[in-house]
Amino acid sequence: MRSKLVEFPTDATIQLGGMQIPWFGPGLLLALWLFFTVVWCVWRLVRYGRNGLFAGDLVPFAVVAFAIWFAPQFMRAIPVYGYGLMLFLGFLSSTWLAARRIEKAGADPNIAWDVAMWIFVGGIVGARLFFVIQYFPRVFAEANGPVGFLFNLVNLQDGGLVFYGGAILGAVAFFAFCRRRGLSPLALGDVLIPSIFLGMMFGRIGCLLNGCCFGDYCELP
């Protein structure tokens, strides 16, 4: 079991042109992330036109930017957990597989990345909300004021994702995406099913690294 793999201090700086520039907060990492976001948006607009970019697609970028900006105010170091890393690898690998299958079916492979973002965000939000509702007294037992309440609401470092909530809201996000794009949920779902199992494989590895969902011990021969 190795729940925490490495930590990145939020007060780390880098020297550029005789100046000490922070990585987090209003620093280098945020500038690089905003640059990447702008490049990604321009690429989508140039390649697919106005229909190639939706407000919902920018939600993950906004969440990461928010985390980079406010990280130094809440923690001295940002840990990289085994579960989170496996979740990230599962997202990339399963979406890549879905894109290849969609391309072989003669459709635009970027549909896979678009629907993956919707499902990913919906799944994480649903999984967190399910946990917060189920363990409400424990989650907010030590919350002090609105800031403490908001921090405990999104503090995944203390655990707090339930598969059932992710499955429910992830499915809602999937059908909402299909309705918005005018796609058949059954046809798209048929292509995505293998990716779901690939993502779950990485998720189970993440659970083992985190020391949870390990099952019960067996007395059979």
Side-chain angles (χ1 to χ4, degrees), residues 157-168:
Q157 180 179 350
D158 192 37
L161 294 176
V162 177
F163 172 79
Y164 308 111
I168 294 172

Side-chain angles (χ1 to χ4, degrees), residues 72-149:
Q73 303 182 31
F74 294 108
M75 57 185 68
R76 291 178 297 179
I78 295 182
V80 176
Y81 291 95
Y83 181 82
L85 179 62
M86 289 299 109
L87 196 67
F88 177 71
L89 293 177
F91 171 80
L92 289 182
S93 60
S94 59
T95 307
W96 172 82
L97 176 62
R100 291 201 55 171
R101 287 173 54 83
I102 290 178
E103 188 174 19
K104 288 183 178 180
D108 182 7
N110 287 287
I111 293 176
W113 295 99
D114 294 340
V115 69
M117 296 300 291
W118 282 60
I119 295 175
F120 183 80
V121 174
I124 293 295
V125 172
R128 181 59 182 175
L129 286 177
F130 198 102
F131 180 88
V132 169
I133 294 173
Q134 185 176 4
Y135 300 101
F136 191 91
R138 194 186 87 180
V139 173
F140 301 106
E142 300 179 359
N144 295 319
V147 175
F149 183 89

Side-chain angles (χ1 to χ4, degrees), residues 11 13 21 44 53 67 73 85 88 93 98 111 117 138 146 165-166 168-169 180 183 190 194 201 207 209 214:
D11 58 354
T13 60
I21 300 178
R44 294 282 298 186
L53 186 64
Q73 303 182 31
L85 179 62
F88 177 71
S93 60
I111 293 176
M117 296 300 291
R138 194 186 87 180
I168 294 172
L169 203 55
R180 183 180 181 88
L183 301 172
D190 187 52
M201 180 199 73
C207 286
L209 290 173
F214 49 81

